[in-house]
Tab-separated table of all heavy atoms in Angstrom:
chain	number	residue	atom	x	y	z
A	3	THR	N	14.059	21.802	-7.505
A	3	THR	CA	12.638	21.663	-7.224
A	3	THR	C	12.478	21.232	-5.780
A	3	THR	O	13.143	20.295	-5.342
A	3	THR	CB	12.017	20.583	-8.147
A	3	THR	OG1	12.335	20.927	-9.479
A	3	THR	CG2	10.528	20.495	-7.971
A	20	MET	N	0.219	6.839	-2.523
A	20	MET	CA	0.897	7.366	-1.343
A	20	MET	C	1.860	8.455	-1.793
A	20	MET	O	2.729	8.207	-2.634
A	20	MET	CB	1.670	6.268	-0.611
A	20	MET	CG	2.303	6.754	0.681
A	20	MET	SD	2.985	5.423	1.697
A	20	MET	CE	4.593	5.256	0.938
A	26	GLY	N	-1.792	3.433	-11.154
A	26	GLY	CA	-1.934	3.618	-12.590
A	26	GLY	C	-0.652	4.100	-13.232
A	26	GLY	O	-0.534	4.092	-14.462
A	35	LEU	N	10.180	8.706	-10.337
A	35	LEU	CA	9.850	9.240	-9.009
A	35	LEU	C	10.754	8.707	-7.899
A	35	LEU	O	11.189	9.466	-7.042
A	35	LEU	CB	8.403	8.897	-8.643
A	35	LEU	CG	7.316	9.741	-9.265
A	35	LEU	CD1	5.952	9.147	-8.986
A	35	LEU	CD2	7.393	11.166	-8.728
A	50	ASP	N	-2.072	-16.650	-8.854
A	50	ASP	CA	-3.245	-16.327	-9.666
A	50	ASP	C	-2.990	-15.121	-10.566
A	50	ASP	O	-3.493	-15.050	-11.670
A	50	ASP	CB	-4.456	-16.026	-8.768
A	50	ASP	CG	-4.978	-17.273	-8.071
A	50	ASP	OD1	-4.676	-18.387	-8.545
A	50	ASP	OD2	-5.688	-17.127	-7.063
A	74	ASP	N	-1.538	-4.125	-17.347
A	74	ASP	CA	-0.474	-3.588	-18.208
A	74	ASP	C	0.738	-3.121	-17.398
A	74	ASP	O	1.401	-2.151	-17.754
A	74	ASP	CB	-0.990	-2.441	-19.082
A	74	ASP	CG	-2.104	-2.890	-20.010
A	74	ASP	OD1	-2.008	-4.015	-20.541
A	74	ASP	OD2	-3.069	-2.131	-20.178
A	82	THR	N	4.006	-0.992	2.763
A	82	THR	CA	5.076	-0.275	3.458
A	82	THR	C	5.002	-0.488	4.964
A	82	THR	O	3.922	-0.707	5.510
A	82	THR	CB	5.048	1.237	3.137
A	82	THR	OG1	6.193	1.858	3.718
A	82	THR	CG2	3.785	1.909	3.644
A	83	ASP	N	6.169	-0.443	5.583
A	83	ASP	CA	6.248	-0.420	7.040
A	83	ASP	C	6.948	0.862	7.486
A	83	ASP	O	7.577	0.930	8.533
A	83	ASP	CB	6.943	-1.668	7.589
A	83	ASP	CG	8.393	-1.803	7.150
A	83	ASP	OD1	8.870	-0.997	6.324
A	83	ASP	OD2	9.066	-2.730	7.643
A	86	SER	N	6.836	6.628	9.271
A	86	SER	CA	6.251	7.956	9.060
A	86	SER	C	4.946	7.918	8.282
A	86	SER	O	4.392	8.971	7.952
A	86	SER	CB	7.247	8.849	8.313
A	86	SER	OG	8.434	8.998	9.057
A	87	MET	N	4.437	6.713	7.967
A	87	MET	CA	3.208	6.647	7.166
A	87	MET	C	2.052	7.296	7.915
A	87	MET	O	1.972	7.255	9.135
A	87	MET	CB	2.882	5.213	6.778
A	87	MET	CG	2.503	4.294	7.905
A	87	MET	SD	2.161	2.637	7.277
A	87	MET	CE	2.811	1.649	8.622
A	96	GLY	N	2.489	1.912	14.721
A	96	GLY	CA	2.554	1.645	16.149
A	96	GLY	C	1.232	1.790	16.881
A	96	GLY	O	1.147	1.499	18.071
A	101	GLN	N	-7.302	1.831	18.002
A	101	GLN	CA	-7.026	3.196	17.540
A	101	GLN	C	-7.237	3.310	16.027
A	101	GLN	O	-7.825	4.282	15.549
A	101	GLN	CB	-5.592	3.607	17.892
A	101	GLN	CG	-5.370	3.868	19.365
A	101	GLN	CD	-3.894	4.099	19.664
A	101	GLN	OE1	-3.037	3.299	19.305
A	101	GLN	NE2	-3.612	5.214	20.331
A	103	LYS	N	-9.092	1.279	14.111
A	103	LYS	CA	-10.516	1.109	13.828
A	103	LYS	C	-11.278	2.404	14.085
A	103	LYS	O	-12.147	2.796	13.299
A	103	LYS	CB	-11.102	-0.031	14.673
A	103	LYS	CG	-10.745	-1.410	14.141
A	103	LYS	CD	-11.109	-2.506	15.096
A	103	LYS	CE	-12.564	-2.837	15.116
A	103	LYS	NZ	-12.842	-4.060	15.947
A	107	GLU	N	-13.372	4.518	11.372
A	107	GLU	CA	-14.793	4.819	11.600
A	107	GLU	C	-15.067	6.313	11.473
A	107	GLU	O	-16.088	6.712	10.906
A	107	GLU	CB	-15.228	4.324	12.986
A	107	GLU	CG	-15.515	2.838	13.013
A	107	GLU	CD	-15.938	2.351	14.399
A	107	GLU	OE1	-16.543	3.134	15.167
A	107	GLU	OE2	-15.651	1.181	14.695
A	109	HIS	N	-13.850	8.239	9.557
A	109	HIS	CA	-13.817	8.600	8.137
A	109	HIS	C	-14.730	7.706	7.297
A	109	HIS	O	-14.493	7.496	6.109
A	109	HIS	CB	-12.374	8.557	7.631
A	109	HIS	CG	-11.535	9.629	8.263
A	109	HIS	ND1	-11.506	10.925	7.790
A	109	HIS	CD2	-10.757	9.613	9.368
A	109	HIS	CE1	-10.735	11.652	8.563
A	109	HIS	NE2	-10.268	10.892	9.529
A	112	ALA	N	-16.426	1.548	8.007
A	112	ALA	CA	-16.925	0.660	9.057
A	112	ALA	C	-16.797	-0.802	8.630
A	112	ALA	O	-16.409	-1.096	7.517
A	112	ALA	CB	-18.368	1.010	9.374
A	123	ALA	N	-0.028	-12.652	14.701
A	123	ALA	CA	-0.210	-11.357	14.045
A	123	ALA	C	-1.697	-11.178	13.711
A	123	ALA	O	-2.425	-12.145	13.518
A	123	ALA	CB	0.630	-11.268	12.782
A	124	ILE	N	-2.138	-9.924	13.658
A	124	ILE	CA	-3.539	-9.620	13.360
A	124	ILE	C	-3.609	-8.809	12.077
A	124	ILE	O	-2.819	-7.891	11.862
A	124	ILE	CB	-4.177	-8.826	14.517
A	124	ILE	CG1	-4.263	-9.721	15.759
A	124	ILE	CG2	-5.551	-8.287	14.132
A	124	ILE	CD1	-4.729	-9.000	17.001
A	138	GLU	N	1.442	-6.548	14.982
A	138	GLU	CA	2.207	-7.539	15.737
A	138	GLU	C	2.359	-7.000	17.144
A	138	GLU	O	2.632	-5.801	17.331
A	138	GLU	CB	3.566	-7.777	15.092
A	138	GLU	CG	3.454	-8.459	13.734
A	138	GLU	CD	4.784	-8.590	13.015
A	138	GLU	OE1	5.841	-8.303	13.622
A	138	GLU	OE2	4.758	-8.961	11.838
A	151	ILE	N	-11.434	-1.360	-6.760
A	151	ILE	CA	-12.040	-2.256	-7.753
A	151	ILE	C	-13.544	-2.205	-7.526
A	151	ILE	O	-14.001	-2.337	-6.387
A	151	ILE	CB	-11.499	-3.692	-7.603
A	151	ILE	CG1	-9.988	-3.697	-7.847
A	151	ILE	CG2	-12.225	-4.650	-8.534
A	151	ILE	CD1	-9.317	-5.025	-7.574
Side-chain angles (χ1 to χ4, degrees):
T3 306
M20 184 170 85
L35 281 171
D50 290 340
D74 299 321
T82 186
D83 63 354
S86 300
M87 67 180 144
Q101 288 173 307
K103 283 170 77 172
E107 280 180 30
H109 293 277
I124 293 173
E138 292 175 9
I151 298 173

